[in-house]
């Protein structure tokens, strides 16, 4: 959970801190190196997205508390506003303004629970996977191997940061600032700010990739680490030949993958250089006004630990940008002055200290059990009547209940194909529209199709829509959709079978319709 996001943040900041050569920059380097050695910690985060446009103004905020006991045991408690959940169609218990969604890792298993739930859902189980592939009791062996590979990459990053020589001037110390942490401890820190533009980021990325290609020792360490991965992942890959010699595979990775990866890096560097000549980046002032990134770190000069970080990315659609008439932004709903600001504030404490164990729900439900359920009511019966997870799990329940069907209509051949195979299906063209049997198509795609011989009425129900036709004549029988007559829909009768113009019929039921020119066929998806 949080450990991966923190590692990602460290890697993202790696280029930045490596390029800092002032005294404040050197302090930031030391702090980043210490962050790489964090095995346990506690953190509190606030993430905000502020949209300010002529068409839409709103701000969304998510708060999160995290603790990491070790690499295999973490918890992230995400506080969600009830109004935000309401936008997603999820109601919370009456009177609750916020709910807490908890993401846990426990000995490698990933679990989700909430403040409204007594049970939890196991999203993935590393222990079961390891037992299946390595055999019972091999989890410790896997963890040791994983940590050894992690240490190789960590050492590689440390060497990279220490040796990096690119430098820039957009770093500023704002002096000492007292930070009060959620545990009520106050720490005196140095506030260091780094400002970055789009061009800065591209220049630094180019420099870093070129640095990698020119540094044989660094490459050797990197590819040695990659070559150690097969021993880690081979048992997890279905169909892997167990007789493969690890030493041979290691040599193959180093000798074959290395040239291919290096060639890809060279190509990417050239693409970055070409990208800098685009209208957006050719005018550096316009690019800098469009996107700007600022990073703030609050570091204790004594213990070199980071106690607070702040991140802010602002994207602003300016008049100058609008005048460039960029191809990728044509038709986009932006007006000059519109902006989006994404910001985050994180506080850290208890660095490598003793952390209380992760609390795991006593009762757990697997994803396999979840997708077997047919409704939210079934989920409530398993998870609890007031379960928030039951309502959040509705898409996954639908995955289990949904028939992922399709039908391909091969019009020229009078054939159709589904996942069950190909079959004959009579079709014809009427005034440029493909006519196909209404009942056969509806039933194949899971619709409820009925025929009332007394009223001579065909009814097709799907996706909360109702298509009805009363067969009174051979040609042009009128069709209603949800009670309203549709002039674009009609049904003809041929040899006792009712045919409908298929595209209009499918779209009336909210089915996806695609025409494939190469095969001259129509694809329908429910």
């Amino acid at each position: 959970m949080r450990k991966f996001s923190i590692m990602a943040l460290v890697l993202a900041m790696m280029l930045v801190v490596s390029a800092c050569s002032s005294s404040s920059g050197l302090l930031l380097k030391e702090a980043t190196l210490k962050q790489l050695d964090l095995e346990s910690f506690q953190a509190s985060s606030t993430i905000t997205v502020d949209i300010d446009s002529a068409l839409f103004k709103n701000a969304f905020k998510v708060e999160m508390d995290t603790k990491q006991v070790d690499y295999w045991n973490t918890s992230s408690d995400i506080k969600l506003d009830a109004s935000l959940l309401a936008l997603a169609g999820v109601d919370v218990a009456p009177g609750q303004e916020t709910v807490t969604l908890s993401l846990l890792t426990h000995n490698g298993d990933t679990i989700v629970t909430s403040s409204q739930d007594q049970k939890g859902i196991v999203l993935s189980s590393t222990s079961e996977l390891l037992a299946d592939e390595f055999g019972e009791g091999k989890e410790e062996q896997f963890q040791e191997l994983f940590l050894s590979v992690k240490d190789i990459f960590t050492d590689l990053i440390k060497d990279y940061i220490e040796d990096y020589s690119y430098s820039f001037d957009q770093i500023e110390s704002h002096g000492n600032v007292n930070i009060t942490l959620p545990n009520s401890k106050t720490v005196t820190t140095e506030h260091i700010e780094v400002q970055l533009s789009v061009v800065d980021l591209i220049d630094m990325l180019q420099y870093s990739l070129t640095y990698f290609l020119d540094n044989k020792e660094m490459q050797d360490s990197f590819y040695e680490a990659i070559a150690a991965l097969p021993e880690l992942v081979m048992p997890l890959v279905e169909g892997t030949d167990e007789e493969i010699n690890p030493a041979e595979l290691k040599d193959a990775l180093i000798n074959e993958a290395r040239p291919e990866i290096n060639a890809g890096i060279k190509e990417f560097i050239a693409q970055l250089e070409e990208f800098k000549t685009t209208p957006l980046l050719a005018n550096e002032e316009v690019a800098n006004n469009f996107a700007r990134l600022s990073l703030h770190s609050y570091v204790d000069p004594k213990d070199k630990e980071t106690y607070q970080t702040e991140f802010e990315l602002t994207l602003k659609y300016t008049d100058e940008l609008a005048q460039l008439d960029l191809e990728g932004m044509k038709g986009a709903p932006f007006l000059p002055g519109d902006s989006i600001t994404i910001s985050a504030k994180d506080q850290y404490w208890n660095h490598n200290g003793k952390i209380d164990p992760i609390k795991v729900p006593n009762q757990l439900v697997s994803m396999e059990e979840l997708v077997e359920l047919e409704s939210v009511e079934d989920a409530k019966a398993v998870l609890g009547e007031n379960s928030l997870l039951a309502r959040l799990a509705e898409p996954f329940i639908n995955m289990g209940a949904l028939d992922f069907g399709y039908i391909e209509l091969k019009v020229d051949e009078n054939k159709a194909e589904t996942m069950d195979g190909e079959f004959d299906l009579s079709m014809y063209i009427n005034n440029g529209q493909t006519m196909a049997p209404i009942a056969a198509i509806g039933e194949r795609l899971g619709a409820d199709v009925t025929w009332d011989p007394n009223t001579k009425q065909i009814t097709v129900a799907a996706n909360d829509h109702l298509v009805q036709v009363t067969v009174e004549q051979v040609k042009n029988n009128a069709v209603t959709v949800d009670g309203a007559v549709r002039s674009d829909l009609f049904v003809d009768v041929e040899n006792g079978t009712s045919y409908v113009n298929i595209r209009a019929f499918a779209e009336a039921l909210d089915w996806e319709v695609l025409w494939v020119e190469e095969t001259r066929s129509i694809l329908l998806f429910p």
Side-chain angles (χ1 to χ4, degrees):
M1 293 338 108
R2 181 65 184 171
K3 68 183 176 203
F4 295 119
S5 61
I6 284 183
M7 181 59 74
L9 179 61
V10 169
L11 291 174
M13 292 180 65
M14 185 175 63
L15 299 182
V16 177
V17 300
S18 299
C20 301
S21 56
S22 64
S23 59
S24 296
L26 295 176
L27 176 60
L28 195 55
K29 279 188 179 183
E30 291 181 87
T32 303
L33 291 170
K34 293 206 73 171
Q35 288 281 83
L36 289 172
D37 288 326
L38 270 184
E39 292 188 15
S40 63
F41 62 89
Q42 289 177 265
S44 178
S45 310
T46 301
I47 302 167
T48 305
V49 178
D50 190 350
I51 303 172
D52 184 4
S53 76
L55 300 176
F56 183 77
K57 294 180 185 291
N58 213 331
F60 304 98
K61 183 171 72 174
V62 175
E63 296 179 344
M64 180 165 59
D65 293 326
T66 301
K67 67 177 182 180
Q68 177 170 309
V69 179
D70 53 40
Y71 288 112
W72 309 102
N73 294 276
T74 67
S75 71
S76 294
D77 295 330
I78 306 166
K79 299 173 185 175
L80 299 173
D81 192 87
S83 61
L84 186 60
L85 288 172
L87 289 175
V90 178
D91 296 324
V92 303
Q96 280 198 300
E97 295 183 0
T98 61
V99 294
T100 300
L101 197 67
S102 298
L103 294 174
L104 317 173
T105 56
H106 179 62
N107 296 330
D109 294 348
T110 305
I111 300 163
V112 61
T113 186
S114 86
S115 55
Q116 290 186 205
D117 285 86
Q118 300 298 317
K119 301 179 182 180
I121 297 175
V122 181
L123 300 179
S124 64
S125 177
T126 304
S127 57
E128 289 183 8
L129 181 62
L130 293 176
D132 290 342
E133 302 293 346
F134 280 96
E136 294 287 346
K138 296 295 181 68
E139 291 89 347
E140 186 174 336
Q141 175 186 335
F142 175 83
Q143 290 180 4
E144 290 177 358
L145 185 57
F146 174 87
L147 290 175
S148 67
V149 174
K150 182 200 74 69
D151 289 342
I152 293 175
F153 279 108
T154 299
D155 290 342
L156 184 65
I157 293 171
K158 287 181 178 180
D159 291 341
Y160 176 56
I161 291 175
E162 290 172 345
D163 294 343
Y164 203 73
S165 59
Y166 183 92
S167 63
F168 64 99
D169 301 322
Q170 299 93 328
I171 181 168
E172 181 180 359
S173 173
H174 295 285
N176 289 343
V177 174
N178 289 331
I179 298 295
T180 300
L181 301 169
N183 65 351
S184 299
K185 179 181 178 181
T186 299
V187 183
T188 300
T189 65
E190 181 178 346
H191 174 197
I192 304 168
E193 179 184 5
V194 179
Q195 291 271 352
L196 290 170
S197 67
V198 177
V199 177
D200 289 330
L201 290 170
I202 294 176
D203 284 344
M204 292 173 64
L205 183 56
Q206 280 186 297
Y207 177 89
S208 302
L209 294 173
T210 303
Y211 173 89
F212 175 81
L213 292 178
D214 293 342
N215 192 320
K216 182 179 182 302
E217 184 178 349
M218 184 180 186
Q219 282 192 50
D220 290 342
S221 297
F222 175 75
Y223 288 109
E224 283 287 331
I226 287 182
L229 289 176
E231 189 179 352
L232 183 69
V233 300
M234 269 177 52
L236 305 179
V237 180
E238 185 176 350
T240 300
D241 186 351
E242 295 181 358
E243 297 183 1
I244 291 179
N245 186 323
E248 293 178 359
L249 188 57
K250 177 178 178 179
D251 290 340
L253 276 170
I254 292 177
N255 297 326
E256 296 176 19
R258 183 170 183 158
E260 290 185 13
I261 294 175
N262 284 359
I265 292 173
K266 288 180 181 178
E267 183 179 352
F268 184 53
I269 293 172
Q271 289 174 346
L272 288 173
E273 189 62 36
E274 184 178 348
F275 182 55
K276 287 162 64 175
T277 65
T278 60
L280 174 61
L281 295 181
N283 188 323
E284 190 168 332
E285 183 179 355
V286 173
N288 290 345
N289 289 335
F290 165 63
R292 196 129 196 112
L293 174 68
S294 62
L295 302 169
H296 301 258
S297 292
Y298 298 79
V299 180
D300 186 340
K302 297 178 182 177
D303 62 15
K304 308 298 188 295
E305 296 286 8
T306 301
Y307 286 92
Q308 182 169 302
T309 58
E310 295 169 1
F311 158 97
E312 184 174 282
L313 172 64
T314 300
L315 303 174
K316 188 170 184 179
Y317 193 63
T318 62
D319 288 313
E320 294 82 5
L321 189 62
Q323 292 171 10
L324 290 179
D325 195 26
L326 298 177
E327 185 67 32
M329 303 189 78
K330 289 181 180 178
F334 303 125
L335 295 173
D338 289 356
S339 67
I340 298 177
T341 301
I342 304 169
S343 59
K345 175 182 175 181
D346 300 271
Q347 289 189 321
Y348 310 94
W349 68 99
N350 212 356
H351 303 71
N352 285 329
K354 183 175 176 56
I355 309 291
D356 292 335
I358 302 298
K359 292 182 180 179
V360 177
N362 293 327
Q363 292 180 281
L364 299 173
V365 178
S366 69
M367 285 294 292
E368 289 77 10
E369 294 175 82
L370 194 64
V371 297
E372 290 295 323
L373 304 176
E374 295 184 355
S375 68
V376 173
E377 294 306 314
D378 290 344
K380 287 181 179 180
V382 174
L383 295 168
E385 181 62 31
N386 297 319
S387 170
L388 175 65
L389 293 181
R391 294 189 287 277
L392 291 174
E394 186 172 3
F396 300 100
I397 295 171
N398 290 339
M399 283 174 59
L402 182 62
D403 178 11
F404 287 99
Y406 76 94
I407 187 168
E408 180 181 3
L409 305 179
K410 303 175 181 179
V411 181
D412 294 342
E413 304 173 34
N414 273 330
K415 291 185 180 295
E417 184 175 329
T418 67
M419 289 187 292
D420 296 326
E422 191 177 71
F423 59 94
D424 293 330
L425 186 71
S426 175
M427 291 171 283
Y428 62 93
I429 305 299
N430 181 6
N431 292 326
Q433 299 190 63
T434 301
M435 306 292 292
I438 187 171
I441 298 297
E443 290 169 353
R444 291 280 180 170
L445 291 181
D448 184 15
V449 182
T450 59
W451 162 251
D452 188 333
N454 296 320
T455 61
K456 295 186 178 181
Q457 189 174 69
I458 303 170
T459 301
V460 183
N463 295 332
D464 296 325
H465 293 295
L466 200 66
V467 173
Q468 292 177 304
V469 55
T470 301
V471 183
E472 297 176 332
Q473 54 197 27
V474 174
K475 297 289 184 182
N476 295 324
N477 290 282
V479 179
T480 64
V481 179
D482 301 328
V485 176
R486 284 278 295 269
S487 59
D488 61 328
L489 259 171
F490 56 90
V491 168
D492 294 346
V493 180
E494 295 282 343
N495 298 321
T497 300
S498 297
Y499 290 77
V500 66
N501 47 332
I502 198 63
R503 174 177 286 277
F505 171 66
E507 291 175 345
L509 293 172
D510 282 343
W511 290 343
E512 197 72 30
V513 185
L514 297 176
W515 168 254
V516 183
E517 179 63 36
E518 292 79 4
T519 58
R520 292 191 54 76
S521 59
I522 300 170
L523 284 172
L524 304 178
F525 300 91

